[in-house]
Amino acid sequence: MKTEEVLNDLQRRFPNEPEYHQAVHEVLESIEEVYNAHPEFEKLNLIERICIPDRIFSFRVTWLDDKGNVRTNMAYRVQHNNAIGPYKGGMRFHPSVSPSILKFLAFEQTFKNALTTLPMGGGKGGSDFNPKGKSNTEIMNFCQALMLELWRNLGPDTDVPAGDIGVGGREVAYMYGMYKKLARENTGTFTGKGIEFGGSLIRPEATGYGNIYFLMNMLKSRGIDDLKGQVTAISGSGNVATYTAQKVLELGGKVITLSDSDGYIYDPDGIDKEKLDYIFELKNVYRGRIREYAEKYGCKYVPGGRPWGEKCTIALPSATQNELNGEDAETLIKNGCIAVSEGANMPSTPEAVEVFLKNKILYAPGKAANAGGVSTSGLEMTQNSMRLSWTREEVDEKLRRIMGDIHDACVKYGVESDGYINYVKGANIAGFMKVAKAMVAQGVI
Ligand code: NDP
């Protein structure tokens, strides 16, 4: 296998899918050597079979808005790979959603899920529906209409969706409610559900908490045991960003930035627990904008900006893909940043990743660092199958252990001759090897 040849072929067959090509490129570059050391992989054309999704559902969703207008959106579900378990991955509602973005996310999800140590395949779905400014009824109408089309392709042992950008507890509940009505079963075919109907404790917190657990494992390798004295810049102000901030505060660190798609806030005094509670309320109850934080607490707000120019020792990108470029990466390093741990999926551009690796800082790619979310989803599936619920402490303990195991797997495959741990390489090889071995064992299907 030659990375460039495979990529050229995918670009010819699937043109105009830049995010998908970007994600595939990064993985192939890391695994080329290992892949070529296993002739049985090439004999089974594993590389094409692992890069191209098993199937993609693509459909129109028709729904009624509050004024009685009939509206349409496109929706998709990418079932990428089920070699090690049912397809598993979130649903994203955002106007930018396209087949390319969902294919990149489903591809990444396959390796991430393999890393979690739990039996889950990879999938992803979503719609170009924009939830911003919609009423509760409109959100419910849309979720129900989407489920009418998709439900037949889901199931507890087939495909188990969850949340992602624009899809939180409210949207999961509306989708799951309709799914249940149509499928006439109650087996938990969604994760991120409400606690009253099969959800797991710690699931809302899991991606953010898991990212910090992963970060702590990385810092330990440099002799750092807590976050006292560390200044963190976080992007986003949604599910992942807010719980990341909560865990940073709990471990004694300082949080100086948060953002949304309109701009970022910079609070030199630090966003403390009380201010963070305000953000939870602002975002989850009023669905407000991060600008309102600056108005309330009188700090700097930069419209249209990204937080990477603010001086920090740790950067935690937690908003969206390609939100941190090569120039941002250079600035972070110049300002003394020692670690970048990704809460979002593929937030750093290839140029930024190159800068981090060249400077040998601690850099954790999303597929390892943010795997705590899907890991806890896996734990939710287990609890649903067993028809019982674990305590907060039990789930948190399992999450910590899984993040530690993912870290160890990255070290196993990512340590370089000078001792530097290349977490990109480590995560890609560890995830790939597990999926590849399962595919080889299962034959040509
Ligand atoms: P939310 O919808 O809760 O929050 C997303 C945040 O990112 C919001 O503040 C949003 O701002 C901002 N944002 C979204 N799109 C853009 C954009 N194009 N430019 C700038 N800011 C943007 O989503 P999550 O917190 O769940 O997801 C954040 C990231 O984490 C995503 O990359 C997701 O794939 C990843 N992730 C999430 C997991 C989970 O468990 N939820 C698990 C693993 C990864 P605004 O409100 O203005 O849109």
Side-chain angles (χ1 to χ4, degrees), residues 92-94 96 104-105 109 112 124 130 132 162-168 203-204 206-208 235-242 259-263 283-284 288-290 305-306 317-321 323 342-347 366 370-374 377:
R92 176 177 292 194
F93 292 171
H94 193 273
S96 67
F104 118 63
L105 288 164
Q109 193 84 46
K112 182 192 305 187
K124 200 84 188 187
N130 186 358
K132 257 183 234 157
D164 190 76
I165 291 177
V167 178
R203 176 61 188 91
T207 309
S235 63
S237 49
N239 171 273
V240 178
T242 47
S259 71
D260 58 26
S261 51
D262 296 337
K283 288 286 166 178
N284 299 331
R289 311 303 298 157
I290 202 67
R306 297 185 298 196
S318 307
T320 192
Q321 65 275 354
E323 55 162 318
E342 296 182 340
N345 284 309
M346 208 168 73
N370 71 32
V374 74
S377 279

Side-chain angles (χ1 to χ4, degrees), residues 32 48 88 130 148 215 243 246 251 283 339 365 395 399 411:
E32 186 171 327
E48 280 185 32
K88 179 86 197 91
N130 186 358
L148 268 176
L215 171 74
Y243 285 108
Q246 190 177 72
L251 297 181
K283 288 286 166 178
V395 180
L399 172 62
V411 173

